[in-house]
Amino acid sequence: MSQKVQTEKVRYNRMGQRIVSPDYLLFEAPRTKHFITGSEAVKEAAKRASVDASISYPITPQSEAAHMLGELWREGYIGVYFRGESEFGVMSAIAGCAMAGARTLTTTSGPGTLRAMENFPMWAGSRLPIQLVLMARGINSPLSIQPDNLEISFLLDTGCMVWHAETAQELFDMIIAGFVVAEQPDVHVPLITAIDGFFISHTREAVYLPPEDIALPPYDPYKAPMPVIDMEVPPGRFMRDPFVMKSNYISYATHASWQFEVRAAIERSRPYAKHYLRGLVEHFGDPEGEILFIASGTAAAQAKEATQILIHEEGIKARVLRIKTLRPFPTEEVREAVKGAKYIFIPEFNVVGWLEREVKRALYGYSDIPIFGTPRVGGGMTMPPEFIVQEVLRIIGKEVKHVS
């Protein structure tokens, strides 16, 4: 009896990279160690993501990453690339690329985010799976280009998913995973992948990269919940303006229900994000720690260092709950993590305490553990772990033994 041997057809993208599954690219492919910056991690992720279009405009600290995406276009890894006339122009043009069925990636920072702000809810309402890499910086007067993530707070309610990477390694992995999650037909909303500018964008660290000759499957816009603009679907039909912009009850109800649907789509991203990010949160430190830090991004890295000092030098049990996804917010994970804690500290690189607000909302009516939104620094100030430890010991009334 003859035995049939089935072989899967090998596919390649326009650069000749072998198409592999997202799981293989993220979890199974062999990786080699590289010493690169966060900006270079953006380039390396885009190189393996079968990106169709990228548009840029220079603003510190994301200019270097935008420049490197242009290099990828010159090398053939990105299909379309050009510089817009402003940040607003970039975010408008990238929306057009996405409406036409392209996998899109762009970057911005600080005042550029604010100038482009009108576009982000438009992306979400149009159900465009654009990925924006946000390299957060100071936006408040007096002018500062230094690390400060206040702008993230403005983006939390735009209808976009928002993730916050701690390291260049995580930034690389989140960009790859982000396309996969955002392009799911039952999700299909934009993703803002944020890092703390300069701390991640301009410092070098060990990043483990899969081979250059493999890449994500190309985006298939015809699986999207919205029609792609092509010869059969003109822009007017896509935007639905004649129907939605009427002043009557049906128009109002349509618009309101669509906003709820966009946010429901973010919630539907949870199982995909849990899989591709290996959870919406990370636990660090002593599981029985009575001191609990809840943090994201670079503040989480500093909280981990402070936790080590508290445990090994001060003899105080401490732990960290690091938030990976801000939208969707990991409410259940936060509620579970606070069990056994006596104090909750939320260090942040901004002066308004947007993460403290998110945590308090998640725990309202659920927990009466005291929450301290400290320390907070902004405008480029650093947050040494020793400073975090001093704040903790001061608040809980303990003598400072080893930190000066």
Side-chain angles (χ1 to χ4, degrees):
M1 186 174 66
S2 62
Q3 184 177 9
K4 293 183 178 180
V5 179
Q6 293 184 345
T7 58
E8 185 177 349
K9 183 179 179 180
V10 179
R11 298 170 56 209
Y12 298 91
N13 65 9
R14 62 176 169 268
M15 272 300 293
Q17 294 168 294
R18 180 167 57 90
I19 299 302
V20 297
S21 71
D23 282 68
Y24 181 82
L25 185 58
L26 284 167
F27 306 137
E28 302 168 18
R31 294 197 176 200
T32 55
K33 186 178 181 180
H34 299 259
F35 191 55
I36 61 176
T37 67
S39 296
E40 291 172 316
V42 174
K43 176 184 179 181
E44 295 300 329
K47 182 184 288 187
R48 296 160 175 80
S50 300
V51 175
D52 296 309
S54 182
I55 307 172
S56 70
Y57 190 83
I59 188 168
T60 304
Q62 63 82 49
S63 299
E64 185 178 24
H67 171 79
M68 291 178 178
L69 292 175
E71 291 180 349
L72 288 183
W73 167 75
R74 179 179 57 82
E75 296 168 7
Y77 289 96
I78 293 178
V80 173
Y81 176 88
F82 59 90
R83 196 192 85 169
E85 71 277 12
S86 68
E87 289 88 351
F88 184 90
V90 165
M91 304 310 166
S92 300
I94 206 77
C97 294
M99 290 176 183
R103 175 176 288 162
T104 52
L105 175 67
T106 188
T107 57
T108 195
S109 297
T113 305
L114 301 190
R115 190 171 191 188
M117 194 73 184
E118 181 183 346
N119 285 282
F120 305 135
M122 180 271 286
W123 290 359
S126 301
R127 301 294 293 275
L128 304 175
I130 299 167
Q131 184 163 184
L132 167 68
V133 175
L134 174 73
M135 299 185 173
R137 58 164 268 193
I139 57 172
N140 49 310
S141 183
L143 177 65
S144 171
I145 65 170
Q146 301 306 322
D148 186 317
N149 59 35
L150 174 60
E151 63 190 289
I152 291 178
S153 67
F154 303 150
L155 297 165
L156 294 178
D157 295 312
T158 55
C160 300
M161 294 183 290
V162 183
W163 298 353
H164 198 181
E166 178 189 7
T167 63
Q169 178 70 70
E170 189 169 52
L171 175 61
F172 172 86
D173 292 330
M174 278 188 171
I175 292 173
I176 298 290
F179 287 118
V180 181
V181 175
E183 292 167 5
Q184 295 295 326
D186 57 339
V187 179
H188 222 269
V189 290
L191 169 63
I192 298 169
T193 304
I195 60 168
D196 297 304
F198 291 105
F199 290 141
I200 305 302
S201 60
H202 283 62
T203 56
R204 293 186 180 275
E205 61 182 87
V207 178
Y208 291 83
L209 303 176
E212 293 184 359
D213 61 351
I214 59 175
L216 282 179
Y219 171 51
D220 183 357
Y222 293 98
K223 292 182 179 179
M226 297 292 294
V228 63
I229 292 177
D230 56 18
M231 296 302 290
E232 297 179 357
V233 182
R237 179 178 170 191
F238 183 95
M239 295 304 293
R240 308 174 305 283
D241 282 355
F243 172 56
V244 174
M245 294 189 71
K246 299 292 183 181
S247 295
N248 56 48
Y249 174 79
I250 297 299
S251 175
Y252 305 151
T254 300
H255 199 280
S257 63
W258 194 248
Q259 292 189 60
F260 281 112
E261 161 56 18
V262 167
R263 283 148 182 84
I266 294 176
E267 291 301 308
R268 292 195 294 269
S269 75
R270 285 181 186 274
Y272 304 111
K274 282 183 179 180
H275 174 71
Y276 289 109
L277 300 183
R278 298 188 184 275
L280 305 186
V281 300
E282 176 199 359
H283 298 273
F284 178 88
D286 189 332
E288 298 179 354
E290 297 178 348
I291 303 297
L292 172 63
F293 295 103
I294 301 180
S296 65
T298 304
Q302 299 304 91
K304 290 177 180 179
E305 294 291 330
T307 295
Q308 297 281 46
I309 295 173
L310 286 168
I311 292 174
H312 299 295
E313 298 182 19
E314 300 293 331
I316 297 174
K317 293 182 178 181
R319 53 196 168 104
V320 179
L321 179 72
R322 182 171 70 87
I323 308 294
K324 300 180 185 180
T325 65
L326 302 168
R327 291 290 183 271
F329 193 76
T331 299
E332 294 304 317
E333 288 86 347
V334 170
R335 290 178 175 176
E336 183 65 27
V338 301
K339 294 178 179 178
K342 287 188 177 180
Y343 303 92
I344 298 173
F345 291 87
I346 306 177
E348 300 190 55
F349 279 98
N350 66 82
V351 298
V352 302
W354 52 259
L355 184 56
E356 180 190 4
R357 291 199 298 254
E358 294 294 318
V359 172
K360 285 183 173 178
R361 180 165 60 180
L363 296 179
Y364 181 77
Y366 182 85
S367 170
D368 59 0
I369 302 169
I371 299 173
F372 300 93
T374 186
R376 289 185 200 158
V377 298
M381 296 293 291
T382 59
M383 188 190 295
E386 294 82 3
F387 175 49
I388 300 175
V389 171
Q390 285 180 332
E391 280 288 279
V392 169
L393 296 179
R394 178 183 65 82
I395 288 173
I396 68 175
K398 295 283 188 179
E399 179 186 356
V400 179
K401 295 180 181 178
H402 299 90
V403 179
S404 59

